[in-house]
mmCIF file of all heavy atoms in Angstrom:
data_model
loop_
_atom_site.group_PDB
_atom_site.id
_atom_site.type_symbol
_atom_site.label_atom_id
_atom_site.label_comp_id
_atom_site.label_asym_id
_atom_site.label_seq_id
_atom_site.Cartn_x
_atom_site.Cartn_y
_atom_site.Cartn_z
ATOM 1 N N ASN A 1 27.166 34.559 44.328
ATOM 2 C CA ASN A 1 27.027 33.936 45.643
ATOM 3 C C ASN A 1 28.425 33.470 46.039
ATOM 4 O O ASN A 1 28.897 32.441 45.538
ATOM 5 C CB ASN A 1 26.066 32.750 45.588
ATOM 6 C CG ASN A 1 25.980 32.000 46.906
ATOM 7 O OD1 ASN A 1 26.723 32.277 47.849
ATOM 8 N ND2 ASN A 1 25.069 31.053 46.975
ATOM 9 N N PRO A 2 29.122 34.203 46.918
ATOM 10 C CA PRO A 2 30.507 33.883 47.257
ATOM 11 C C PRO A 2 30.746 32.470 47.782
ATOM 12 O O PRO A 2 31.847 31.969 47.744
ATOM 13 C CB PRO A 2 30.864 34.921 48.332
ATOM 14 C CG PRO A 2 29.924 36.049 48.090
ATOM 15 C CD PRO A 2 28.664 35.410 47.597
ATOM 16 N N SER A 3 29.689 31.810 48.238
ATOM 17 C CA SER A 3 29.828 30.444 48.757
ATOM 18 C C SER A 3 29.665 29.385 47.677
ATOM 19 O O SER A 3 29.809 28.203 47.955
ATOM 20 C CB SER A 3 28.781 30.193 49.852
ATOM 21 O OG SER A 3 28.966 31.094 50.912
ATOM 22 N N ASP A 4 29.332 29.804 46.459
ATOM 23 C CA ASP A 4 29.053 28.842 45.386
ATOM 24 C C ASP A 4 29.917 29.159 44.170
ATOM 25 O O ASP A 4 29.696 30.148 43.478
ATOM 26 C CB ASP A 4 27.573 28.899 45.009
ATOM 27 C CG ASP A 4 27.180 27.864 43.975
ATOM 28 O OD1 ASP A 4 28.054 27.105 43.499
ATOM 29 O OD2 ASP A 4 25.989 27.807 43.628
ATOM 30 N N TRP A 5 30.917 28.313 43.905
ATOM 31 C CA TRP A 5 31.856 28.568 42.816
ATOM 32 C C TRP A 5 31.181 28.589 41.449
ATOM 33 O O TRP A 5 31.727 29.126 40.485
ATOM 34 C CB TRP A 5 33.001 27.553 42.839
ATOM 35 C CG TRP A 5 32.625 26.158 42.464
ATOM 36 C CD1 TRP A 5 32.175 25.179 43.290
ATOM 37 C CD2 TRP A 5 32.681 25.581 41.170
ATOM 38 N NE1 TRP A 5 31.929 24.025 42.604
ATOM 39 C CE2 TRP A 5 32.241 24.243 41.281
ATOM 40 C CE3 TRP A 5 33.050 26.049 39.920
ATOM 41 C CZ2 TRP A 5 32.154 23.376 40.191
ATOM 42 C CZ3 TRP A 5 32.969 25.182 38.829
ATOM 43 C CH2 TRP A 5 32.528 23.869 38.977
ATOM 44 N N LYS A 6 29.985 28.041 41.318
ATOM 45 C CA LYS A 6 29.299 27.982 40.021
ATOM 46 C C LYS A 6 28.611 29.281 39.642
ATOM 47 O O LYS A 6 28.097 29.395 38.539
ATOM 48 C CB LYS A 6 28.269 26.855 40.041
ATOM 49 C CG LYS A 6 28.848 25.482 40.243
ATOM 50 C CD LYS A 6 27.735 24.450 40.266
ATOM 51 C CE LYS A 6 28.119 23.274 41.115
ATOM 52 N NZ LYS A 6 27.011 22.353 41.317
ATOM 53 N N THR A 7 28.559 30.254 40.545
ATOM 54 C CA THR A 7 27.785 31.474 40.293
ATOM 55 C C THR A 7 28.672 32.637 39.872
ATOM 56 O O THR A 7 28.616 33.712 40.455
ATOM 57 C CB THR A 7 26.970 31.866 41.551
ATOM 58 O OG1 THR A 7 27.900 32.162 42.611
ATOM 59 C CG2 THR A 7 26.030 30.768 41.974
ATOM 60 N N GLY A 8 29.466 32.450 38.858
ATOM 61 C CA GLY A 8 30.396 33.482 38.404
ATOM 62 C C GLY A 8 29.705 34.719 37.869
ATOM 63 O O GLY A 8 28.632 34.652 37.278
ATOM 64 N N LYS A 9 30.358 35.849 38.095
ATOM 65 C CA LYS A 9 29.863 37.117 37.560
ATOM 66 C C LYS A 9 30.174 37.199 36.070
ATOM 67 O O LYS A 9 30.918 36.383 35.519
ATOM 68 C CB LYS A 9 30.516 38.281 38.300
ATOM 69 C CG LYS A 9 30.047 38.409 39.740
ATOM 70 C CD LYS A 9 30.643 39.622 40.425
ATOM 71 C CE LYS A 9 30.101 39.758 41.832
ATOM 72 N NZ LYS A 9 30.730 40.886 42.553
ATOM 73 N N SER A 10 29.658 38.208 35.421
ATOM 74 C CA SER A 10 29.851 38.366 33.972
ATOM 75 C C SER A 10 31.311 38.690 33.662
ATOM 76 O O SER A 10 32.073 39.155 34.513
ATOM 77 C CB SER A 10 28.956 39.495 33.442
ATOM 78 O OG SER A 10 29.456 40.750 33.884
ATOM 79 N N VAL A 11 31.675 38.481 32.407
ATOM 80 C CA VAL A 11 33.030 38.779 31.942
ATOM 81 C C VAL A 11 33.344 40.255 32.176
ATOM 82 O O VAL A 11 34.446 40.606 32.610
ATOM 83 C CB VAL A 11 33.177 38.417 30.440
ATOM 84 C CG1 VAL A 11 34.502 38.901 29.890
ATOM 85 C CG2 VAL A 11 33.022 36.916 30.236
ATOM 86 N N GLU A 12 32.382 41.120 31.922
ATOM 87 C CA GLU A 12 32.590 42.555 32.103
ATOM 88 C C GLU A 12 32.881 42.893 33.568
ATOM 89 O O GLU A 12 33.766 43.701 33.877
ATOM 90 C CB GLU A 12 31.362 43.341 31.619
ATOM 91 C CG GLU A 12 31.134 43.278 30.128
ATOM 92 C CD GLU A 12 30.463 41.967 29.671
ATOM 93 O OE1 GLU A 12 29.854 41.251 30.511
ATOM 94 O OE2 GLU A 12 30.579 41.647 28.476
ATOM 95 N N GLU A 13 32.131 42.264 34.495
ATOM 96 C CA GLU A 13 32.351 42.515 35.921
ATOM 97 C C GLU A 13 33.730 42.005 36.361
ATOM 98 O O GLU A 13 34.427 42.670 37.124
ATOM 99 C CB GLU A 13 31.254 41.842 36.757
ATOM 100 C CG GLU A 13 29.888 42.485 36.593
ATOM 101 C CD GLU A 13 28.794 41.701 37.272
ATOM 102 O OE1 GLU A 13 28.564 40.533 36.851
ATOM 103 O OE2 GLU A 13 28.185 42.217 38.213
ATOM 104 N N ILE A 14 34.125 40.848 35.844
ATOM 105 C CA ILE A 14 35.436 40.277 36.179
ATOM 106 C C ILE A 14 36.548 41.197 35.664
ATOM 107 O O ILE A 14 37.534 41.455 36.362
ATOM 108 C CB ILE A 14 35.595 38.861 35.583
ATOM 109 C CG1 ILE A 14 34.550 37.901 36.154
ATOM 110 C CG2 ILE A 14 37.008 38.329 35.782
ATOM 111 C CD1 ILE A 14 34.654 37.607 37.617
ATOM 112 N N GLU A 15 36.399 41.713 34.458
ATOM 113 C CA GLU A 15 37.404 42.629 33.888
ATOM 114 C C GLU A 15 37.555 43.885 34.742
ATOM 115 O O GLU A 15 38.670 44.374 34.935
ATOM 116 C CB GLU A 15 37.034 42.986 32.447
ATOM 117 C CG GLU A 15 37.261 41.845 31.478
ATOM 118 C CD GLU A 15 36.802 42.149 30.065
ATOM 119 O OE1 GLU A 15 36.286 43.271 29.809
ATOM 120 O OE2 GLU A 15 36.947 41.273 29.203
ATOM 121 N N LYS A 16 36.444 44.399 35.269
ATOM 122 C CA LYS A 16 36.502 45.584 36.139
ATOM 123 C C LYS A 16 37.259 45.268 37.431
ATOM 124 O O LYS A 16 38.054 46.085 37.900
ATOM 125 C CB LYS A 16 35.094 46.077 36.462
ATOM 126 C CG LYS A 16 34.415 46.771 35.303
ATOM 127 C CD LYS A 16 33.022 47.217 35.685
ATOM 128 C CE LYS A 16 32.293 47.814 34.496
ATOM 129 N NZ LYS A 16 30.915 48.174 34.839
ATOM 130 N N ILE A 17 37.002 44.110 38.017
ATOM 131 C CA ILE A 17 37.698 43.711 39.247
ATOM 132 C C ILE A 17 39.195 43.604 38.985
ATOM 133 O O ILE A 17 40.008 44.109 39.766
ATOM 134 C CB ILE A 17 37.132 42.375 39.787
ATOM 135 C CG1 ILE A 17 35.677 42.542 40.230
ATOM 136 C CG2 ILE A 17 37.996 41.854 40.943
ATOM 137 C CD1 ILE A 17 34.963 41.223 40.531
ATOM 138 N N LYS A 18 39.559 42.988 37.862
ATOM 139 C CA LYS A 18 40.977 42.826 37.541
ATOM 140 C C LYS A 18 41.636 44.183 37.295
ATOM 141 O O LYS A 18 42.738 44.458 37.779
ATOM 142 C CB LYS A 18 41.174 41.914 36.330
ATOM 143 C CG LYS A 18 42.646 41.626 36.081
ATOM 144 C CD LYS A 18 42.859 40.632 34.972
ATOM 145 C CE LYS A 18 44.356 40.370 34.823
ATOM 146 N NZ LYS A 18 44.657 39.609 33.636
ATOM 147 N N ALA A 19 40.968 45.051 36.539
ATOM 148 C CA ALA A 19 41.523 46.369 36.235
ATOM 149 C C ALA A 19 41.752 47.181 37.506
ATOM 150 O O ALA A 19 42.678 47.989 37.583
ATOM 151 C CB ALA A 19 40.598 47.121 35.280
ATOM 152 N N ALA A 20 40.929 46.948 38.519
ATOM 153 C CA ALA A 20 41.063 47.665 39.792
ATOM 154 C C ALA A 20 42.102 47.017 40.711
ATOM 155 O O ALA A 20 42.312 47.477 41.825
ATOM 156 C CB ALA A 20 39.708 47.728 40.490
ATOM 157 N N GLY A 21 42.755 45.940 40.236
ATOM 158 C CA GLY A 21 43.781 45.272 41.040
ATOM 159 C C GLY A 21 43.216 44.277 42.028
ATOM 160 O O GLY A 21 43.908 43.877 42.969
ATOM 161 N N GLY A 22 41.987 43.855 41.829
ATOM 162 C CA GLY A 22 41.331 42.937 42.763
ATOM 163 C C GLY A 22 41.616 41.479 42.471
ATOM 164 O O GLY A 22 40.700 40.701 42.251
ATOM 165 N N PHE A 23 42.883 41.112 42.432
ATOM 166 C CA PHE A 23 43.271 39.722 42.205
ATOM 167 C C PHE A 23 44.466 39.403 43.088
ATOM 168 O O PHE A 23 45.091 40.306 43.656
ATOM 169 C CB PHE A 23 43.604 39.468 40.729
ATOM 170 C CG PHE A 23 44.717 40.325 40.197
ATOM 171 C CD1 PHE A 23 46.033 39.896 40.258
ATOM 172 C CD2 PHE A 23 44.446 41.566 39.641
ATOM 173 C CE1 PHE A 23 47.064 40.689 39.772
ATOM 174 C CE2 PHE A 23 45.473 42.364 39.151
ATOM 175 C CZ PHE A 23 46.783 41.923 39.218
ATOM 176 N N VAL A 24 44.787 38.136 43.209
ATOM 177 C CA VAL A 24 45.943 37.695 43.985
ATOM 178 C C VAL A 24 47.026 37.260 43.013
ATOM 179 O O VAL A 24 46.802 36.375 42.184
ATOM 180 C CB VAL A 24 45.577 36.514 44.918
ATOM 181 C CG1 VAL A 24 46.805 35.985 45.631
ATOM 182 C CG2 VAL A 24 44.514 36.937 45.922
ATOM 183 N N ASP A 25 48.196 37.898 43.093
ATOM 184 C CA ASP A 25 49.333 37.489 42.267
ATOM 185 C C ASP A 25 49.810 36.139 42.785
ATOM 186 O O ASP A 25 49.918 35.934 43.993
ATOM 187 C CB ASP A 25 50.442 38.528 42.354
ATOM 188 C CG ASP A 25 51.385 38.483 41.171
ATOM 189 O OD1 ASP A 25 50.984 37.963 40.109
ATOM 190 O OD2 ASP A 25 52.509 38.981 41.302
ATOM 191 N N LEU A 26 50.087 35.222 41.886
ATOM 192 C CA LEU A 26 50.445 33.861 42.286
ATOM 193 C C LEU A 26 51.700 33.417 41.545
ATOM 194 O O LEU A 26 51.654 33.106 40.366
ATOM 195 C CB LEU A 26 49.292 32.898 41.985
ATOM 196 C CG LEU A 26 49.497 31.440 42.332
ATOM 197 C CD1 LEU A 26 49.652 31.264 43.839
ATOM 198 C CD2 LEU A 26 48.318 30.612 41.835
ATOM 199 N N ILE A 27 52.829 33.432 42.239
ATOM 200 C CA ILE A 27 54.082 32.943 41.691
ATOM 201 C C ILE A 27 54.333 31.579 42.331
ATOM 202 O O ILE A 27 54.355 31.466 43.552
ATOM 203 C CB ILE A 27 55.263 33.886 42.016
ATOM 204 C CG1 ILE A 27 54.960 35.313 41.552
ATOM 205 C CG2 ILE A 27 56.557 33.355 41.417
ATOM 206 C CD1 ILE A 27 54.780 35.481 40.075
ATOM 207 N N GLN A 28 54.489 30.561 41.513
ATOM 208 C CA GLN A 28 54.711 29.209 42.039
ATOM 209 C C GLN A 28 56.030 28.652 41.525
ATOM 210 O O GLN A 28 56.243 28.560 40.330
ATOM 211 C CB GLN A 28 53.587 28.274 41.600
ATOM 212 C CG GLN A 28 52.251 28.621 42.169
ATOM 213 C CD GLN A 28 51.204 27.627 41.729
ATOM 214 O OE1 GLN A 28 51.357 26.426 41.863
ATOM 215 N NE2 GLN A 28 50.116 28.134 41.169
ATOM 216 N N TRP A 29 56.896 28.304 42.451
ATOM 217 C CA TRP A 29 58.120 27.593 42.130
ATOM 218 C C TRP A 29 57.922 26.184 42.630
ATOM 219 O O TRP A 29 57.673 25.960 43.816
ATOM 220 C CB TRP A 29 59.324 28.233 42.807
ATOM 221 C CG TRP A 29 60.602 27.528 42.494
ATOM 222 C CD1 TRP A 29 61.382 27.725 41.407
ATOM 223 C CD2 TRP A 29 61.250 26.513 43.265
ATOM 224 N NE1 TRP A 29 62.475 26.900 41.439
ATOM 225 C CE2 TRP A 29 62.408 26.133 42.580
ATOM 226 C CE3 TRP A 29 60.943 25.865 44.463
ATOM 227 C CZ2 TRP A 29 63.273 25.167 43.054
ATOM 228 C CZ3 TRP A 29 61.803 24.891 44.936
ATOM 229 C CH2 TRP A 29 62.961 24.559 44.221
ATOM 230 N N ARG A 30 57.987 25.242 41.742
ATOM 231 C CA ARG A 30 57.737 23.845 42.092
ATOM 232 C C ARG A 30 59.038 23.078 41.955
ATOM 233 O O ARG A 30 59.575 22.942 40.859
ATOM 234 C CB ARG A 30 56.672 23.269 41.173
ATOM 235 C CG ARG A 30 55.369 24.014 41.280
ATOM 236 C CD ARG A 30 54.405 23.553 40.233
ATOM 237 N NE ARG A 30 53.170 24.323 40.325
ATOM 238 C CZ ARG A 30 52.247 24.343 39.409
ATOM 239 N NH1 ARG A 30 52.395 23.637 38.317
ATOM 240 N NH2 ARG A 30 51.171 25.052 39.571
ATOM 241 N N ALA A 31 59.542 22.609 43.072
ATOM 242 C CA ALA A 31 60.834 21.922 43.074
ATOM 243 C C ALA A 31 60.849 20.770 42.076
ATOM 244 O O ALA A 31 61.846 20.531 41.403
ATOM 245 C CB ALA A 31 61.161 21.411 44.473
ATOM 246 N N HIS A 32 59.753 20.083 41.961
ATOM 247 C CA HIS A 32 59.702 18.905 41.104
ATOM 248 C C HIS A 32 59.508 19.257 39.636
ATOM 249 O O HIS A 32 60.038 18.574 38.763
ATOM 250 C CB HIS A 32 58.577 18.000 41.590
ATOM 251 C CG HIS A 32 58.481 16.705 40.865
ATOM 252 N ND1 HIS A 32 59.471 15.756 40.918
ATOM 253 C CD2 HIS A 32 57.527 16.216 40.050
ATOM 254 C CE1 HIS A 32 59.109 14.715 40.174
ATOM 255 N NE2 HIS A 32 57.948 14.971 39.637
ATOM 256 N N ARG A 33 58.756 20.322 39.340
ATOM 257 C CA ARG A 33 58.433 20.640 37.958
ATOM 258 C C ARG A 33 59.133 21.889 37.445
ATOM 259 O O ARG A 33 59.544 21.955 36.294
ATOM 260 C CB ARG A 33 56.923 20.802 37.804
ATOM 261 C CG ARG A 33 56.177 19.526 38.154
ATOM 262 C CD ARG A 33 54.705 19.727 38.049
ATOM 263 N NE ARG A 33 54.298 19.616 36.668
ATOM 264 C CZ ARG A 33 53.081 19.889 36.244
ATOM 265 N NH1 ARG A 33 52.165 20.309 37.078
ATOM 266 N NH2 ARG A 33 52.776 19.774 34.980
ATOM 267 N N SER A 34 59.237 22.921 38.260
ATOM 268 C CA SER A 34 59.823 24.189 37.814
ATOM 269 C C SER A 34 61.339 24.174 37.824
ATOM 270 O O SER A 34 61.975 24.681 36.907
ATOM 271 C CB SER A 34 59.376 25.339 38.715
ATOM 272 O OG SER A 34 57.993 25.422 38.810
ATOM 273 N N TYR A 35 61.912 23.647 38.889
ATOM 274 C CA TYR A 35 63.360 23.699 39.061
ATOM 275 C C TYR A 35 64.127 23.091 37.882
ATOM 276 O O TYR A 35 65.075 23.702 37.402
ATOM 277 C CB TYR A 35 63.758 23.022 40.368
ATOM 278 C CG TYR A 35 65.253 22.927 40.544
ATOM 279 C CD1 TYR A 35 66.008 24.067 40.815
ATOM 280 C CD2 TYR A 35 65.910 21.716 40.392
ATOM 281 C CE1 TYR A 35 67.379 23.991 40.949
ATOM 282 C CE2 TYR A 35 67.284 21.636 40.526
ATOM 283 C CZ TYR A 35 68.017 22.773 40.800
ATOM 284 O OH TYR A 35 69.369 22.690 40.925
ATOM 285 N N PRO A 36 63.737 21.909 37.376
ATOM 286 C CA PRO A 36 64.515 21.317 36.280
ATOM 287 C C PRO A 36 64.625 22.202 35.036
ATOM 288 O O PRO A 36 65.589 22.106 34.296
ATOM 289 C CB PRO A 36 63.774 20.022 35.961
ATOM 290 C CG PRO A 36 63.058 19.675 37.207
ATOM 291 C CD PRO A 36 62.674 20.995 37.825
ATOM 292 N N VAL A 37 63.637 23.055 34.814
ATOM 293 C CA VAL A 37 63.672 23.914 33.636
ATOM 294 C C VAL A 37 64.023 25.356 33.983
ATOM 295 O O VAL A 37 63.980 26.244 33.132
ATOM 296 C CB VAL A 37 62.342 23.859 32.842
ATOM 297 C CG1 VAL A 37 62.133 22.484 32.247
ATOM 298 C CG2 VAL A 37 61.159 24.267 33.700
ATOM 299 N N GLY A 38 64.370 25.621 35.243
ATOM 300 C CA GLY A 38 64.818 26.942 35.662
ATOM 301 C C GLY A 38 63.764 28.022 35.552
ATOM 302 O O GLY A 38 64.068 29.159 35.202
ATOM 303 N N MET A 39 62.526 27.681 35.834
ATOM 304 C CA MET A 39 61.440 28.652 35.702
ATOM 305 C C MET A 39 60.504 28.560 36.902
ATOM 306 O O MET A 39 60.649 27.695 37.752
ATOM 307 C CB MET A 39 60.656 28.387 34.420
ATOM 308 C CG MET A 39 61.456 28.558 33.143
ATOM 309 S SD MET A 39 60.500 28.229 31.671
ATOM 310 C CE MET A 39 59.633 29.765 31.469
ATOM 311 N N ALA A 40 59.533 29.456 36.921
ATOM 312 C CA ALA A 40 58.445 29.429 37.894
ATOM 313 C C ALA A 40 57.173 29.834 37.166
ATOM 314 O O ALA A 40 57.225 30.490 36.127
ATOM 315 C CB ALA A 40 58.721 30.387 39.040
ATOM 316 N N ASP A 41 56.034 29.430 37.701
ATOM 317 C CA ASP A 41 54.755 29.848 37.135
ATOM 318 C C ASP A 41 54.471 31.275 37.571
ATOM 319 O O ASP A 41 54.606 31.602 38.746
ATOM 320 C CB ASP A 41 53.616 28.970 37.657
ATOM 321 C CG ASP A 41 53.551 27.624 36.987
ATOM 322 O OD1 ASP A 41 54.006 27.499 35.846
ATOM 323 O OD2 ASP A 41 53.027 26.686 37.609
ATOM 324 N N ASP A 42 54.060 32.118 36.656
ATOM 325 C CA ASP A 42 53.644 33.476 36.962
ATOM 326 C C ASP A 42 52.169 33.557 36.636
ATOM 327 O O ASP A 42 51.777 33.505 35.475
ATOM 328 C CB ASP A 42 54.448 34.480 36.130
ATOM 329 C CG ASP A 42 54.091 35.922 36.456
ATOM 330 O OD1 ASP A 42 53.399 36.158 37.467
ATOM 331 O OD2 ASP A 42 54.508 36.800 35.700
ATOM 332 N N GLY A 43 51.365 33.651 37.663
ATOM 333 C CA GLY A 43 49.936 33.662 37.431
ATOM 334 C C GLY A 43 49.203 34.531 38.430
ATOM 335 O O GLY A 43 49.796 35.335 39.139
ATOM 336 N N TYR A 44 47.895 34.345 38.463
ATOM 337 C CA TYR A 44 47.069 35.076 39.415
ATOM 338 C C TYR A 44 45.798 34.281 39.666
ATOM 339 O O TYR A 44 45.450 33.351 38.926
ATOM 340 C CB TYR A 44 46.734 36.477 38.892
ATOM 341 C CG TYR A 44 45.903 36.509 37.630
ATOM 342 C CD1 TYR A 44 44.515 36.619 37.689
ATOM 343 C CD2 TYR A 44 46.495 36.430 36.375
ATOM 344 C CE1 TYR A 44 43.755 36.652 36.532
ATOM 345 C CE2 TYR A 44 45.752 36.469 35.209
ATOM 346 C CZ TYR A 44 44.372 36.586 35.299
ATOM 347 O OH TYR A 44 43.623 36.610 34.152
ATOM 348 N N VAL A 45 45.096 34.650 40.740
ATOM 349 C CA VAL A 45 43.800 34.059 41.053
ATOM 350 C C VAL A 45 42.785 35.187 41.026
ATOM 351 O O VAL A 45 42.956 36.214 41.677
ATOM 352 C CB VAL A 45 43.798 33.370 42.438
ATOM 353 C CG1 VAL A 45 42.402 32.829 42.760
ATOM 354 C CG2 VAL A 45 44.829 32.262 42.489
#
């Protein structure tokens, strides 16, 4: 149910979505937290 965050699909279904490229790449540079250590978060949603 796309309107309800509690209704997640199975692990197998999620793996298929990811394998097909169905995710959002998320690079976060945080001036307060990332900059002092010269890094950025590399993640996805």
Side-chain angles (χ1 to χ4, degrees):
N1 175 354
S3 300
D4 184 358
W5 70 271
K6 298 179 209 172
T7 63
K9 290 184 177 176
S10 71
V11 172
E12 293 79 19
E13 291 172 297
I14 298 295
E15 287 176 0
K16 286 179 185 177
I17 295 169
K18 186 175 182 190
F23 59 90
V24 175
D25 202 22
L26 180 64
I27 305 297
Q28 294 182 52
W29 180 85
R30 300 172 182 166
H32 185 65
R33 299 178 81 188
S34 305
Y35 175 72
V37 294
M39 297 180 81
D41 282 334
D42 182 12
Y44 64 94
V45 177

